[in-house]
Amino acid sequence: LFPEGTLRLLDPAAASARLGEVTDRAGLDQPGALSLDPRRVLQAWCRAPSAARIQSLEPTDGGWRLSGPSEPQIFRTVILATGADLRHLWPAAPILPVRGQVSWVAAPDPETPRAAGWGGYLAPMAGGFLFGATFRRGEVSTDLTDEDHQANLDSLAKARPALAASLAGAALGGRARVRATTRDHLPLAGAVPEAPGLFVLGGLGSRGLTWAPLLGEHVAARATGGPSPLPGDLAALVDPARRSAA
Ligand SMILES: Cc1cc2nc3c(=O)[nH]c(=O)nc-3n(C[C@H](O)[C@H](O)[C@H](O)COP(=O)(O)OP(=O)(O)OC[C@H]3O[C@@H](n4cnc5c(N)ncnc54)[C@H](O)[C@@H]3O)c2cc1C
């Protein structure tokens, strides 16, 4: 899958040098990998979106009636991309919520650790670094909890014990949100079953930033009748009508 040189096997000594503290485990290095600032990526993707909270969606002659803060409007084609709130507008959406919390801490620039993943992950960000994230199936609260901060510290301690110990008592920031997952862990991208003109891009789980650009093109192609970048067998895997999703 990967071109020569994009993945390198590191023995424990090399992995220790790469991590910044001693580990007795081997690792994989991706020299060209980047960590993203999601806010800046979203600003580049969605330059000036026009946003309004949609309260209801009803089939009507000639399309779908969307009711929001202003006059209802009718559209022939609608694409649902409302994350963990998908069921609000599509009650049968086969979405399973999984709460996740990341933790972050301020750090002076030279001390910002390099990105690493081990099941948990650690990523540099402006003015500090973040680490996480928790997975709590069926939970939908978005409050920050000390319990989840502790779970993230416990995970960090598996790969970076000295760094985790140095954070004892530190003031942690964080953010909690709800991931939208499906039973077969694959996204929902394409036509909503038995709802002509209604499409969905959702169920992106923990991989929205990775999957959304390609799947967005796929859903746009389905909605406009254009050619999709996805081959037929892959399109079938993410088809919202597949039985394994629910
Ligand atoms: C802790 C945590 C860590 C994560 N880490 C990563 C990671 O490292 N890499 C990665 O790729 N992904 C990660 N994810 C997953 C990623 O955030 C999601 O996959 C992605 O945000 C899903 O995108 P989305 O557009 O489907 O939904 P969202 O990003 O939730 O966007 C849905 C949008 O719809 C809007 N909306 C909802 N209802 C309505 C309505 N009725 N009317 C109008 N607008 C509405 C919401 O306000 C929101 O703006 C993480 C998630 C969590 C919780």
Side-chain angles (χ1 to χ4, degrees), residues 37 105 107 124-129:
D37 176 346
V105 68
M125 53 181 266
F129 60 93

Side-chain angles (χ1 to χ4, degrees), residues 36 38 42 51-56 67 80-86 88-89 98-103 121 130 132-135 175-180 201-212:
L36 300 179
L42 290 179
R53 182 112 203 135
I54 302 304
Q55 302 297 349
S56 69
S67 304
L80 297 172
T82 52
D85 287 334
L86 213 47
H88 177 66
L89 298 176
V98 179
R99 172 195 150 87
Q101 178 173 316
V102 286
S103 306
Y121 61 86
L130 67 77
T134 55
F135 278 81
R175 183 168 169 152
R177 284 291 178 270
V178 180
R179 304 177 188 86
L201 175 55
L204 296 167
S206 303
R207 301 193 181 90
L209 291 175
T210 316
W211 280 344

Side-chain angles (χ1 to χ4, degrees), residues 119-217:
Y121 61 86
L122 163 65
M125 53 181 266
F129 60 93
L130 67 77
F131 54 101
T134 55
F135 278 81
R136 298 202 184 270
R137 288 180 206 290
E139 291 189 21
V140 295
S141 145
T142 53
D143 296 338
L144 285 180
T145 68
D146 289 341
E147 189 187 1
D148 275 18
H149 277 323
Q150 190 57 50
N152 288 334
L153 281 168
D154 292 347
S155 169
L156 182 65
K158 289 184 186 153
R160 297 288 317 262
L163 180 64
S166 76
L167 296 181
L172 296 179
R175 183 168 169 152
R177 284 291 178 270
V178 180
R179 304 177 188 86
T181 67
T182 57
R183 195 163 62 82
D184 62 9
H185 307 294
L186 288 168
L188 306 168
V192 171
E194 294 165 36
L198 190 60
F199 296 82
V200 59
L201 175 55
L204 296 167
S206 303
R207 301 193 181 90
L209 291 175
T210 316
W211 280 344
L214 177 63
L215 293 179
E217 286 189 33

